[in-house]
Amino acid sequence: MKKIAAFFDIDGTFYRDSLMTEHFKKLIKYDIIDPLMWHAHAKEAFNDWDKRQGNYDDYLLELAGVYIDTLTGVPRESIEFTSQNVIDQKSERVYRYTRSRIKWHKDSGHTVIFISGSPDYLVKRMAKKYNVTEYKATEYIFKDDIFTGRIVPMWDSKSKDKAIDYFVEKHDLDLSKSYAYGDTHGDFSMLKRVGYPIAINPAKELLNDIKNDEGLRKRAEIIIERKDVIYSFTPDQITTLL
């Protein structure tokens, strides 16, 4: 019998912010990178997104570019140390809804999988923290324990689509009975592939993707978590004001 899976994006879907952003700040705190790189290049984009004045995907790409450039040449030891600090201090900042869904999927015997655009050394630790054995993340390439500046991204829809193909073959999955959770345009293909797609606090771009796809529009669920209340909607019940 084919298995059922639950695919989870992390940033903005499970984790309330961006693991990469938190790591960026830790690198500055420990004087591993120049604070000017944050203040001069990434802070404005982050503030725009935090105030919901910017596109999250655009912010992520801009921040990732600065992050990768700044991290090039940094020893693996420093990256691993600060990554563990992020998980030790910030990993509990997750949405109650997705935390409970991960538990439900595990209790139901489903295969829980993280597919995230965050760096692999952060996603690996986040997966271990929540006892998730399978994950795909952006691969950061090292040579002689020094970051080379080269990556294999996992934040775009095409890459996540390929990751699902990998796990389908590995675990003999039945996607028609499987679940996916995401919040941005990069998660569109992941949601489209499964029988039970759930958008968590979706960005406007993802919401439009769902509404413009006839099949996804019929079966998707929209979850909005605010403070201590969780709301569930169909795509047709959500109105975009701007």
Side-chain angles (χ1 to χ4, degrees), residues 6-11 19 112-127 132-140 152-156 158-168 170-171 187 190:
F7 301 97
F8 286 83
D9 171 56
I10 293 181
D11 295 344
L19 290 176
V112 177
I113 301 169
F114 284 164
I115 302 182
S116 172
S118 279
D120 49 0
Y121 41 79
L122 288 165
V123 174
K124 173 182 69 177
R125 287 174 165 81
M126 196 69 166
V132 173
T133 58
E134 294 283 17
Y135 66 89
K136 282 282 188 181
T138 296
E139 181 184 357
Y140 280 64
V152 179
M154 188 53 65
W155 53 66
D156 60 288
K158 184 177 180 180
S159 296
K160 292 192 175 187
D161 204 30
K162 290 181 179 179
I164 289 179
D165 288 339
Y166 167 80
F167 287 117
V168 166
K170 181 177 181 180
H171 293 287
D187 301 314
M190 192 167 71

Side-chain angles (χ1 to χ4, degrees), residues 183-214:
D183 70 313
T184 69
H185 174 74
D187 301 314
F188 176 63
S189 65
M190 192 167 71
L191 298 178
K192 190 173 171 63
R193 295 285 300 273
V194 300
Y196 301 96
I198 299 99
I200 312 295
N201 299 324
K204 183 171 67 175
E205 291 76 18
L206 178 59
L207 187 57
N208 288 337
D209 289 337
I210 292 171
K211 287 188 171 186
N212 291 330
D213 185 283
E214 185 176 355

Side-chain angles (χ1 to χ4, degrees), residues 15-50:
Y15 186 62
R16 289 179 176 268
D17 204 333
S18 162
L19 290 176
M20 186 170 61
T21 299
E22 295 295 345
H23 189 229
F24 206 130
K25 293 175 180 177
K26 281 286 184 288
L27 291 165
I28 292 170
K29 177 181 178 181
Y30 288 101
D31 295 322
I32 294 169
I33 63 174
D34 186 350
L36 183 62
M37 297 302 294
W38 170 263
H39 293 287
H41 299 286
K43 186 177 181 180
E44 184 176 353
F46 173 76
N47 286 340
D48 283 346
W49 173 79
D50 195 43

Side-chain angles (χ1 to χ4, degrees), residues 46-218:
F46 173 76
N47 286 340
D48 283 346
W49 173 79
D50 195 43
K51 293 182 290 187
R52 300 303 189 264
Q53 294 178 355
N55 180 308
Y56 182 81
D57 289 334
D58 290 343
Y59 152 70
L60 179 62
L61 288 173
E62 182 176 347
L63 178 61
V66 177
Y67 177 83
I68 292 164
D69 289 344
T70 306
L71 214 57
T72 300
V74 174
R76 185 194 295 271
E77 182 180 13
S78 297
I79 293 173
E80 297 286 356
F81 168 75
T82 47
S83 295
Q84 191 59 52
N85 266 258
V86 170
I87 302 305
D88 289 344
Q89 298 175 21
K90 302 290 185 177
S91 61
E92 295 289 339
R93 295 187 66 243
V94 298
Y95 287 110
R96 291 186 300 120
Y97 175 80
T98 34
R99 185 202 289 262
S100 69
R101 293 301 289 178
I102 288 174
K103 183 180 185 304
W104 179 78
H105 284 297
K106 287 182 178 179
D107 291 345
S108 300
H110 300 164
T111 302
V112 177
I113 301 169
F114 284 164
I115 302 182
S116 172
S118 279
D120 49 0
Y121 41 79
L122 288 165
V123 174
K124 173 182 69 177
R125 287 174 165 81
M126 196 69 166
K128 182 178 180 181
K129 164 77 177 179
Y130 289 96
N131 297 312
V132 173
T133 58
E134 294 283 17
Y135 66 89
K136 282 282 188 181
T138 296
E139 181 184 357
Y140 280 64
I141 299 172
F142 292 78
K143 183 177 181 180
D144 299 327
D145 285 332
I146 301 295
F147 176 53
T148 64
R150 293 186 292 118
I151 65 165
V152 179
M154 188 53 65
W155 53 66
D156 60 288
S157 192
K158 184 177 180 180
S159 296
K160 292 192 175 187
D161 204 30
K162 290 181 179 179
I164 289 179
D165 288 339
Y166 167 80
F167 287 117
V168 166
E169 183 175 351
K170 181 177 181 180
H171 293 287
D172 192 24
L173 301 177
D174 184 347
L175 291 182
S176 70
K177 296 180 180 179
S178 294
Y179 299 72
Y181 302 80
D183 70 313
T184 69
H185 174 74
D187 301 314
F188 176 63
S189 65
M190 192 167 71
L191 298 178
K192 190 173 171 63
R193 295 285 300 273
V194 300
Y196 301 96
I198 299 99
I200 312 295
N201 299 324
K204 183 171 67 175
E205 291 76 18
L206 178 59
L207 187 57
N208 288 337
D209 289 337
I210 292 171
K211 287 188 171 186
N212 291 330
D213 185 283
E214 185 176 355
L216 199 51
R217 182 172 184 159
K218 290 179 180 178

